[in-house]
Amino acid sequence: MTKAEEVFAKVEQLVAGDLTKAEAFKKVAEEYGQPVNSMRGAYYAHTRSTGTGRPRRRETTPEDALADARAALERALANIDREIAMAKERADEAKAEYEALKSSADERKAAIKGRLEVLK
C-alpha cells in the first residue's frame, strides 16, 4: 500500500467518524509528523489516480443547485450536533479543573502562608 493510499484510507475513516476533512488532515499530519498540505496532496493525488474524486461539472443545473444546497444543510445539521458535543466536553473539562483547584486551594494557601512566615 502506498503512502497516498494509507493517507486516503485514514482520512476517509476519520471523516466517516464525524470529523471534517480539515480535522482529519490535521490528525493524519500529526500522526505522520508532516505538514497538513503534504497529507492533503497525498490524499488528492490518490483520488486523481483512482478517479474517485468529484467529477467536474460543465454547467450547474437547477437539480445540481438543489442537491448542493441540500447537502450543505445536512452538513450544517451534523455540525450542530458536533458543536454541542465539543462544547459539552469543554464544559466538563472546565468543571473538572474548577473542582481540582477548589479542592486543593486550602492546601496551596497553607503552603504559601508557611513560606511567608519563613521570610518574615
Side-chain angles (χ1 to χ4, degrees):
M1 178 178 280
T2 67
K3 179 180 171 186
E5 290 171 328
E6 287 178 21
V7 169
F8 180 83
K10 288 181 181 185
V11 168
E12 289 298 309
Q13 181 182 13
L14 292 170
V15 169
D18 293 332
L19 285 182
T20 64
K21 266 196 184 164
E23 293 167 337
F25 285 133
K26 286 179 187 173
K27 188 166 184 145
V28 172
E30 289 172 6
E31 193 176 309
Y32 279 93
Q34 294 187 343
V36 174
N37 285 337
S38 293
M39 299 299 100
R40 192 177 291 118
Y43 176 90
Y44 287 112
H46 178 71
T47 61
R48 281 190 305 274
S49 70
T50 60
T52 57
R54 284 190 289 192
R56 294 190 177 166
R57 297 182 193 153
R58 291 200 156 262
E59 61 184 49
T60 301
T61 65
E63 292 81 17
D64 292 337
L66 286 173
D68 291 346
R70 186 175 296 114
L73 291 171
E74 288 171 352
R75 281 192 309 272
L77 285 173
N79 285 341
I80 289 170
D81 292 336
R82 190 170 42 86
E83 290 166 356
I84 291 169
M86 292 171 68
K88 170 91 169 90
E89 184 178 321
R90 288 192 310 270
D92 291 344
E93 289 171 358
K95 184 176 181 183
E97 181 183 9
Y98 165 76
E99 295 295 334
L101 288 172
K102 184 179 174 186
S103 69
S104 68
D106 291 337
E107 181 182 319
R108 291 181 295 130
K109 285 179 181 179
I112 291 171
K113 285 178 183 177
R115 291 193 175 112
L116 278 173
E117 289 299 321
V118 170
L119 293 175
K120 286 185 180 180

